[in-house]
């Protein structure tokens, strides 16, 4: 039976009220993000974290600082604004060796700075700011001096309850020198929980657990003390973190578990492991606190999320942020992007002569689209690798031709062809139009755009800098309207269901009893936030 009319009206009023409340909160949060940043950028990740510790006797023969530096170079795509490294020699709890600043890793760390970073363990960070803004004062790792010695922390993510946690820390009489939520985490760990006895010294796992109970989202952390490193991931698993084993140079190939370890590393992504002689071991599980010491690594605690909440790993790590050779949830990112392209053909086929991509972001999906459709893949755009972000456009005409500084068209591959061009995402929609014009000027007969992800419609409050709803082109134009706007013959996105299908394919094929539970955050696509919308957010 259908409910009575007055009950239906009551339900409708509640639903409208909830929608209006969500829109109001979203608008307030977006306005805060605007006021905190004078220049809104495109899709940018907040940062990457890395840690390394040597096994065996100390002082180690391994150059820990160089290992961390190379690990950060592999994570440079996660943040190009600032970077830093902190190391410990493992015998003094009072001071760490620290070097950090604004700029790229290659310019920050020279021979002189590396000589000052002697140590047997250390952590590093590369950053793009969202919360806390841009400036030297917000560079990480953060180092604070506690009653039990120095503590260094590097953080990837953004606390959704930043404001309430800040009030709590300030109420305890703790002073904060920045607006960064990463410093807020470090200061939160300095105070012992009231219900924890520390007669025999600080109980760092208990302190970390206490913080995790206060802050559900969003973070992956590396925390360094005198002689150990803690690797921590929030209970939703929103941000990535994994463990690797540094093996001896003569250890051979493969990933045998009985191979002795020269050291251990922890990183936002596994993409740099092979370049430093490390082998991927596993992910840090959601809610897990892992302790790394000279003797190895071990789980010291697991903080469970509520039973009614699912894991919420950021699905855009697969789409956009991660490097293709990184491993998440037991599968390589490149393979998932290939599958996204296959799924995109099933959902949005088109008659064409060649399939190509906007390099390099859409290349894996383009290969998947080509393989599934049987249409030949061919490169049509050549990227200029020497164009900086600060390129000065001297006139309106040259600004309108701005894409020409980034790309050239391979006219022999394009002329007279019906072309499918694949890209990973559309944010503001202000770059795809000039690319289409470039291809048409090179002789393309038809240009069909296919996007290997769903339309971006909502901002992110968990460590990704996504523009406001008003700036996201998908909130202004549907696919057909956008195609006309940018001059394409057609345009289609991958569906949310299709993206989830591609990401979870390997786990489903493995069988429910063999694969780990998975769950993904699709908030920027659906507006369904894993922890709900925060009431207040300090940007």
């Amino acid at each position: 039976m259908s409910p009575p009319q007055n009950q239906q009206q009551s339900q409708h009023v509640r639903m409208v009220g909830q929608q209006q409340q969500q829109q109001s909160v979203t608008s307030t949060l977006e306005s805060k993000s605007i006021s905190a940043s004078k220049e809104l950028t495109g899709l940018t990740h907040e940062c990457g974290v890395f840690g390394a510790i040597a096994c065996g006797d100390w002082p180690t023969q391994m150059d820990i600082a160089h290992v961390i530096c190379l690990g950060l170079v592999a994570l440079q795509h996660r943040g190009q604004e600032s970077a830093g490294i902190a190391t410990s020699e493992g015998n003094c709890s009072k001071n760490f060796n620290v070097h950090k600043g604004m700029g790229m890793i290659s310019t920050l760390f020279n021979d002189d700075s590396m000589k000052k970073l002697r140590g047997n363990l250390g952590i590093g960070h590369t950053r793009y700011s969202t919360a806390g803004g841009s400036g030297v004062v917000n560079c990480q790792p953060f180092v604070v001096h506690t009653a039990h010695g120095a503590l260094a922390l590097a953080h990837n993510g953004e606390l959704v309850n930043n404001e309430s946690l800040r009030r709590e820390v300030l109420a305890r009489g703790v002073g904060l020198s920045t607006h960064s939520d990463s410093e807020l985490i470090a200061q939160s760990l300095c105070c012992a929980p009231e219900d924890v006895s520390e007669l025999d010294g600080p109980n760092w796992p208990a302190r970390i657990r206490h913080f995790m109970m206060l802050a559900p989202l969003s973070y992956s952390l590396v925390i360094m003390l005198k002689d150990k490193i803690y690797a921590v991931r929030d209970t939703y698993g929103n941000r990535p973190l994994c463990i690797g084993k540094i093996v001896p140079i003569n250890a051979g190939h493969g990933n045998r578990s009985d191979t002795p370890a020269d050291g251990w590393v922890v990183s936002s992504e596994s993409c740099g492991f092979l370049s430093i002689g490390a082998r991927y071991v596993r992910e840090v599980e959601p809610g897990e606190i892992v302790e790394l010491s000279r003797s190895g690594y071990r789980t010291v605690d697991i903080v469970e999320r509520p039973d009614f909440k699912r894991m919420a790993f950021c699905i855009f790590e697969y789409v956009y942020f991660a490097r293709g050779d990184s491993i998440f949830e037991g599968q390589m990112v490149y393979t998932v992007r290939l599958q996204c392209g296959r799924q995109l053909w099933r959902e949005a086929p088109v008659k064409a002569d060649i399939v190509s991509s906007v390099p390099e972001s859409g290349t894996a999906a383009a290969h998947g689209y080509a393989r599934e459709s049987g249409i030949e893949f061919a490169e049509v755009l050549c990227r200029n690798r020497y164009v900086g972000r600060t390129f000065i456009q001297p006139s309106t005409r040259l600004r309108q031709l701005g894409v020409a500084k980034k790309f050239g068209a391979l006219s022999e591959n394009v002329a007279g062809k019906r072309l499918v061009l694949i890209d990973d995402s559309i944010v503001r929609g202000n770059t795809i139009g000039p690319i289409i014009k470039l291809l048409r000027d090179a002789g393309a007969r038809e240009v069909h755009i296919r996007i290997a992800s769903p339309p971006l419609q909502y901002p992110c409050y968990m460590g990704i800098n996504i523009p406001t709803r008003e700036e996201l082109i998908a909130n202004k134009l549907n696919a057909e309207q956008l195609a006309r706007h940018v001059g394409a013959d057609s345009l289609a996105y991958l569906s949310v269901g299709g993206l989830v299908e591609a990401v979870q394919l390997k786990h489903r094929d493995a069988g429910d009893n063999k694969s780990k539970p998975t769950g993904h955050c699709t908030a920027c696509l659906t507006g369904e936030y894993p922890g709900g919308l925060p009431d207040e957010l300090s940007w």
Side-chain angles (χ1 to χ4, degrees), residues 2 43 54-55 74 95 116 144 177 182 219 237 261 329 340 393 401 444 452 497:
S2 60
L43 225 58
C55 292
N95 294 297
K116 298 174 183 177
V144 294
S177 59
S182 305
Y219 47 86
E329 301 176 310
C340 285
Q393 301 284 8
L401 292 171

Side-chain angles (χ1 to χ4, degrees), residues 3 6-24:
N6 60 346
Q7 185 177 344
Q8 288 179 329
Q9 291 174 342
S10 175
Q11 289 174 344
H12 175 71
V13 169
R14 282 199 302 272
M15 290 175 64
V16 171
Q18 289 171 351
Q19 291 172 350
Q20 290 174 340
Q21 182 181 12
Q22 183 177 22
Q23 290 172 353
S24 174

Side-chain angles (χ1 to χ4, degrees), residues 80-111:
Q80 297 94 47
E81 183 181 83
S82 67
I85 294 175
T87 62
S88 169
E89 296 182 42
N91 53 16
C92 177
S93 61
K94 293 183 179 180
N95 294 297
F96 294 152
N97 303 313
V98 182
H99 183 75
K100 56 184 179 178
M102 306 298 292
M104 303 284 278
I105 294 157
S106 59
T107 58
L108 274 174
F109 298 101
N110 53 32
D111 289 342

Side-chain angles (χ1 to χ4, degrees), residues 143-175:
V143 178
V144 294
H145 296 274
T146 76
H148 307 284
L151 174 148
L153 176 139
H155 167 216
N156 169 215
E158 191 168 356
L159 300 182
V160 297
N161 64 334
N162 185 309
E163 191 64 35
S164 60
L165 192 60
R166 182 176 297 275
R167 286 196 300 266
E168 180 176 323
V169 169
L170 292 173
R172 294 203 304 254
V174 175

Side-chain angles (χ1 to χ4, degrees), residues 359-360 383-388 405-406:
E360 275 77 19
R383 179 185 285 275
N384 181 356
R385 302 180 187 276
Y386 302 98
V387 176
K405 75 178 188 284
K406 295 182 180 179

Side-chain angles (χ1 to χ4, degrees), residues 263-341:
W264 297 91
V265 293
V266 60
S267 175
S268 292
E269 294 183 40
S270 61
C271 53
F273 283 1
L274 291 179
S275 65
I276 59 172
R279 303 289 185 268
Y280 174 85
V281 176
R282 68 172 179 87
E283 289 181 299
V284 176
E285 297 295 332
E288 186 179 16
I289 305 172
V290 176
E291 180 186 274
L292 293 92
S293 66
R294 71 171 77 181
S295 59
Y297 76 91
R298 65 189 182 102
T299 300
V300 294
D301 203 351
I302 296 178
V303 180
E304 301 287 347
R305 65 181 172 273
D307 291 338
F308 60 92
K309 294 289 187 180
R310 294 184 60 202
M311 181 180 169
F313 178 55
C314 174
I315 205 163
F316 247 73
E317 290 283 356
Y318 285 110
V319 171
Y320 184 88
F321 297 115
R323 229 171 71 171
D325 53 338
S326 290
I327 297 172
F328 296 141
E329 301 176 310
Q331 56 190 343
M332 191 162 283
V333 170
Y334 183 90
T335 304
V336 172
R337 291 174 181 168
L338 200 73
Q339 185 61 32
C340 285

Side-chain angles (χ1 to χ4, degrees), residues 431-477:
T431 59
I432 196 69
I435 289 175
I436 294 170
K437 184 180 185 304
L438 186 70
L439 293 171
R440 291 201 187 278
D441 289 346
R445 183 152 59 99
E446 295 177 12
V447 181
H448 301 273
I449 302 299
R450 294 293 181 267
I451 306 301
S453 66
L456 276 164
Q457 295 181 291
Y458 300 89
C460 176
Y461 309 119
M462 291 166 286
I464 307 300
N465 182 18
I466 292 179
T468 60
R469 291 195 68 185
E470 288 74 17
E471 287 187 291
L472 294 168
I473 193 68
N475 290 320
K476 298 177 182 178
L477 305 172

Side-chain angles (χ1 to χ4, degrees), residues 116-259:
K116 298 174 183 177
L117 290 171
R118 296 185 309 273
N120 298 305
L121 65 157
I123 63 174
H125 187 269
T126 183
R127 180 174 191 263
Y128 182 91
S129 66
T130 55
S134 175
V136 175
V137 70
N138 289 310
C139 295
Q140 296 186 44
F142 274 111
V143 178
V144 294
H145 296 274
T146 76
H148 307 284
L151 174 148
L153 176 139
H155 167 216
N156 169 215
E158 191 168 356
L159 300 182
V160 297
N161 64 334
N162 185 309
E163 191 64 35
S164 60
L165 192 60
R166 182 176 297 275
R167 286 196 300 266
E168 180 176 323
V169 169
L170 292 173
R172 294 203 304 254
V174 175
L176 297 172
S177 59
T178 75
H179 291 288
S180 169
D181 50 3
S182 305
E183 184 199 14
L184 187 58
I185 297 171
Q187 295 290 4
S188 298
L189 295 172
C190 290
C191 298
E194 294 181 357
D195 59 343
V196 174
S197 173
E198 294 192 332
L199 296 177
D200 297 326
N203 187 335
W204 291 110
R207 293 184 181 207
I208 296 169
R209 165 179 268 275
H210 178 69
F211 161 75
M212 294 174 72
M213 299 298 289
L214 295 174
L217 284 163
S218 160
Y219 47 86
S220 286
L221 308 174
V222 286
I223 303 164
M224 183 177 72
L225 303 169
K226 177 184 74 173
D227 57 357
K228 61 187 64 174
I229 294 172
Y230 288 101
V232 183
R233 196 173 173 204
D234 71 52
T235 58
Y236 289 82
N238 185 249
R239 303 259 65 87
L241 197 62
C242 62
I243 300 167
K245 178 169 70 173
I246 301 176
V247 297
I249 297 296
N250 58 357
H253 303 291
N255 194 21
R256 294 176 53 184
S257 58
D258 59 348
T259 303

